[in-house]
């Protein structure tokens, strides 16, 4: 079984409070909040005011994924906007250890995300310092993409590191998650499944969240 983090990026923004309350009433473990700046990824999502609005109604912790350049500039602001988890991209952080320390000092759980082309081995010196490692199983920037099959190998490699060295970080996967691939993802070691369009286009999102969690 895995925790589910529905991605609010796929919600109906004209009815954001309604969709946040739907997640509140579900078995989801988190609300996943994708922040995109149009620079690190070729899309712009939303920023601090929307994050604050989500937090105002959320009864689940906010899992904030910063797909932005120079994320250090905004760590404190997003923590103040309600982030319980702050995940930055390895590819955007030249001083990753310092960034992780700063997130912890702010009282949030630090996470690191890897793009599809980035091998997990680049995190070998930081795995003991993070709470979460996020494997992007699509190219970041847009929802509804097809799952990249090589993600299974990366997840298995991460889980092997975790077992060999006794690390306690959670493994999260984001992109193309559905009921077909969720069981294998969990078998390979995933703890948190991010699901956006698969949840929000479902005729019964609460039931879909439950089914994914039982994978």
């Amino acid at each position: 079984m895995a925790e589910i983090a529905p991605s609010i990026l796929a919600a109906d923004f004209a009815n954001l409070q309604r969709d946040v309350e739907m997640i509140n009433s579900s078995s989801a473990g988190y609300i996943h909040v994708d922040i995109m700046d149009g620079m690190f990824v070729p899309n712009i999502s939303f920023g601090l005011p929307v994050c604050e609005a989500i937090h105002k109604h959320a009864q689940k912790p906010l899992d904030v994924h910063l797909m932005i350049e120079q994320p250090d500039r905004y760590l404190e602001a997003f923590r103040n906007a309600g982030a319980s988890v702050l995940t930055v991209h390895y590819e955007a952080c030249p001083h990753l250890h310092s960034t992780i320390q700063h997130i912890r000092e702010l009282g949030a759980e630090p996470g690191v995300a890897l793009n599809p082309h980035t091998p997990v081995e680049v995190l070998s010196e930081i795995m003991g310092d993070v709470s979460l490692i996020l494997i992007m199983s699509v190219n970041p920037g847009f929802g509804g993409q097809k799952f990249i099959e090589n993600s299974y190998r990366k997840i298995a490699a991460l889980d092997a590191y975790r077992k060999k060295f006794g690390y306690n970080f959670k493994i999260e996967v984001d992109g193309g998650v559905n009921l077909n691939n969720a069981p294998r993802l969990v078998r390979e070691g995933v703890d948190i499944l991010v699901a956006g369009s698969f949840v929000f286009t479902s005729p019964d999102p609460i039931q879909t969240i439950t089914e994914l969690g039982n994978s």
Side-chain angles (χ1 to χ4, degrees), residues 106-140:
L106 291 170
E109 294 293 315
V112 179
L114 295 178
N115 281 340
H117 71 279
T118 305
V120 300
E121 289 76 14
V122 299
L123 298 182
S124 62
E125 301 302 319
I126 201 79
M127 289 180 183
D129 299 306
V130 298
S131 298
L132 180 151
I133 296 177
L134 169 57
I135 297 298
M136 291 302 301
S137 47
V138 298
N139 287 295

Coordinates of all heavy atoms in Angstrom, one line a residue, residues 106-140:
L106 N 13.7 25.6 8.5 CA 12.4 26.2 8.4 C 11.2 25.4 9.0 O 10.1 25.8 9.1 CB 12.0 26.5 6.9 CG 12.9 27.6 6.2 CD1 12.6 27.6 4.7 CD2 12.6 29.0 6.8
G107 N 11.6 24.1 9.4 CA 10.6 23.3 10.0 C 9.8 22.4 9.0 O 8.8 21.8 9.4
A108 N 10.2 22.4 7.8 CA 9.6 21.5 6.7 C 10.4 20.3 6.5 O 11.6 20.2 6.8 CB 9.4 22.3 5.5
E109 N 9.7 19.3 5.9 CA 10.4 18.1 5.4 C 11.1 18.3 4.1 O 10.4 18.7 3.1 CB 9.4 16.9 5.4 CG 8.8 16.5 6.7 CD 9.8 15.9 7.6 OE1 10.6 15.1 7.2 OE2 9.8 16.3 8.8
P110 N 12.4 18.1 4.0 CA 13.0 18.3 2.7 C 12.9 17.2 1.7 O 13.1 16.0 2.1 CB 14.5 18.6 3.1 CG 14.7 17.8 4.3 CD 13.3 17.7 5.0
G111 N 12.6 17.5 0.5 CA 12.6 16.5 -0.6 C 13.5 16.9 -1.8 O 13.7 18.1 -2.0
V112 N 13.9 16.0 -2.6 CA 14.7 16.3 -3.8 C 14.0 15.5 -4.9 O 13.8 14.3 -4.8 CB 16.2 15.9 -3.7 CG1 16.9 16.2 -5.0 CG2 16.8 16.6 -2.5
A113 N 13.8 16.2 -6.0 CA 13.2 15.6 -7.2 C 14.3 15.4 -8.3 O 15.2 16.2 -8.4 CB 12.1 16.4 -7.8
L114 N 14.1 14.3 -9.1 CA 15.0 14.0 -10.2 C 14.2 14.0 -11.5 O 13.2 13.3 -11.6 CB 15.7 12.7 -10.0 CG 16.7 12.5 -8.8 CD1 17.2 11.1 -8.8 CD2 17.8 13.5 -9.0
N115 N 14.7 14.7 -12.5 CA 14.1 14.6 -13.8 C 14.3 13.2 -14.5 O 15.3 12.5 -14.0 CB 14.6 15.7 -14.7 CG 14.0 17.0 -14.5 OD1 12.9 17.1 -13.9 ND2 14.7 18.1 -14.9
P116 N 13.6 12.8 -15.5 CA 13.8 11.5 -16.1 C 15.2 11.2 -16.5 O 15.6 10.0 -16.4 CB 12.8 11.5 -17.2 CG 11.7 12.4 -16.8 CD 12.4 13.5 -16.1
H117 N 15.9 12.2 -17.0 CA 17.3 11.9 -17.5 C 18.3 11.8 -16.4 O 19.5 11.4 -16.7 CB 17.7 12.9 -18.5 CG 18.0 14.3 -17.9 ND1 17.0 15.2 -17.5 CD2 19.2 14.8 -17.5 CE1 17.6 16.2 -17.0 NE2 18.9 16.1 -17.0
T118 N 18.0 12.1 -15.2 CA 19.0 12.2 -14.1 C 19.1 10.9 -13.3 O 18.1 10.4 -12.8 CB 18.6 13.4 -13.1 OG1 18.5 14.6 -13.9 CG2 19.7 13.5 -12.1
P119 N 20.3 10.3 -13.2 CA 20.4 9.0 -12.5 C 20.3 9.2 -11.0 O 20.7 10.3 -10.5 CB 21.8 8.5 -12.9 CG 22.5 9.7 -13.2 CD 21.5 10.7 -13.8
V120 N 19.8 8.2 -10.3 CA 19.7 8.3 -8.8 C 21.0 8.4 -8.1 O 21.1 8.9 -7.0 CB 18.8 7.1 -8.3 CG1 17.4 7.1 -8.9 CG2 19.5 5.8 -8.5
E121 N 22.1 7.9 -8.8 CA 23.4 7.9 -8.1 C 23.9 9.3 -7.7 O 24.7 9.5 -6.8 CB 24.4 7.2 -9.0 CG 24.2 5.7 -9.2 CD 23.1 5.3 -10.1 OE1 22.6 6.2 -10.8 OE2 22.7 4.2 -10.1
V122 N 23.4 10.4 -8.4 CA 23.8 11.7 -8.1 C 23.4 12.1 -6.7 O 24.0 13.1 -6.2 CB 23.3 12.8 -9.1 CG1 23.8 12.4 -10.5 CG2 21.8 12.9 -9.1
L123 N 22.5 11.4 -6.1 CA 22.0 11.8 -4.7 C 22.7 10.9 -3.6 O 22.3 11.0 -2.5 CB 20.5 11.6 -4.6 CG 19.7 12.5 -5.5 CD1 18.2 12.2 -5.3 CD2 20.0 14.0 -5.3
S124 N 23.7 10.1 -4.0 CA 24.3 9.2 -3.1 C 24.8 9.9 -1.8 O 24.8 9.3 -0.7 CB 25.4 8.4 -3.7 OG 26.4 9.2 -4.2
E125 N 25.3 11.1 -1.9 CA 25.9 11.8 -0.8 C 24.9 12.6 0.0 O 25.2 13.2 1.1 CB 27.0 12.8 -1.3 CG 28.1 12.1 -2.0 CD 28.8 11.0 -1.2 OE1 29.0 11.3 0.0 OE2 29.1 9.9 -1.7
I126 N 23.6 12.6 -0.4 CA 22.6 13.4 0.3 C 21.4 12.6 0.8 O 20.6 13.1 1.5 CB 22.1 14.5 -0.7 CG1 21.4 15.7 0.1 CG2 21.1 14.0 -1.7 CD1 22.4 16.6 0.7
M127 N 21.4 11.3 0.4 CA 20.2 10.5 0.7 C 19.9 10.4 2.2 O 18.8 10.3 2.6 CB 20.4 9.1 0.2 CG 20.4 9.0 -1.3 SD 20.6 7.3 -1.9 CE 20.5 7.5 -3.7
G128 N 21.0 10.5 3.1 CA 20.8 10.4 4.5 C 20.2 11.7 5.1 O 19.9 11.7 6.3
D129 N 20.2 12.7 4.3 CA 19.7 14.0 4.8 C 18.3 14.4 4.4 O 17.8 15.5 4.8 CB 20.7 15.1 4.3 CG 22.1 14.9 4.8 OD1 22.3 14.7 6.0 OD2 23.0 14.8 4.0
V130 N 17.7 13.7 3.5 CA 16.4 14.1 3.0 C 15.3 13.2 3.5 O 15.5 12.1 4.0 CB 16.4 14.0 1.4 CG1 17.4 15.0 0.9 CG2 16.6 12.6 0.9
S131 N 14.1 13.7 3.5 CA 12.9 13.0 4.0 C 12.2 12.3 2.8 O 11.5 11.3 3.0 CB 11.9 13.9 4.6 OG 12.5 14.5 5.8
L132 N 12.5 12.8 1.6 CA 11.7 12.3 0.4 C 12.6 12.4 -0.8 O 13.3 13.4 -1.0 CB 10.4 13.1 0.3 CG 9.4 12.8 -0.8 CD1 8.0 13.2 -0.3 CD2 9.7 13.7 -2.0
I133 N 12.5 11.5 -1.7 CA 13.1 11.6 -3.0 C 12.0 11.3 -4.1 O 11.3 10.3 -4.0 CB 14.3 10.6 -3.3 CG1 15.4 11.0 -2.3 CG2 14.7 10.7 -4.7 CD1 16.6 10.0 -2.4
L134 N 11.8 12.3 -4.9 CA 10.7 12.2 -5.9 C 11.3 11.9 -7.3 O 12.1 12.6 -7.8 CB 10.0 13.6 -6.0 CG 9.0 13.9 -7.1 CD1 7.9 12.8 -7.1 CD2 8.4 15.3 -7.0
I135 N 10.8 10.8 -7.8 CA 11.2 10.4 -9.2 C 10.1 10.9 -10.2 O 8.9 10.5 -10.1 CB 11.3 8.8 -9.3 CG1 12.4 8.3 -8.4 CG2 11.5 8.4 -10.8 CD1 13.8 8.8 -8.7
M136 N 10.6 11.8 -11.1 CA 9.7 12.2 -12.1 C 9.6 11.1 -13.2 O 10.6 10.8 -13.9 CB 10.2 13.5 -12.8 CG 10.1 14.7 -11.8 SD 8.4 15.1 -11.2 CE 7.5 15.3 -12.8
S137 N 8.4 10.6 -13.4 CA 8.2 9.5 -14.3 C 7.5 10.1 -15.6 O 7.1 9.3 -16.5 CB 7.3 8.4 -13.7 OG 6.1 9.0 -13.1
V138 N 7.5 11.4 -15.8 CA 7.3 12.1 -17.0 C 8.2 13.3 -17.0 O 8.8 13.7 -16.0 CB 5.8 12.6 -17.1 CG1 4.8 11.4 -17.1 CG2 5.4 13.6 -16.0
N139 N 8.3 14.0 -18.1 CA 9.1 15.2 -18.2 C 8.2 16.3 -17.5 O 7.1 16.5 -17.9 CB 9.4 15.6 -19.6 CG 10.5 14.7 -20.2 OD1 11.6 14.7 -19.7 ND2 10.2 13.9 -21.2
P140 N 8.8 17.0 -16.5 CA 8.0 17.9 -15.7 C 7.5 19.1 -16.5 O 8.2 19.6 -17.5 CB 8.9 18.4 -14.6 CG 10.3 18.2 -15.2 CD 10.2 17.0 -16.1

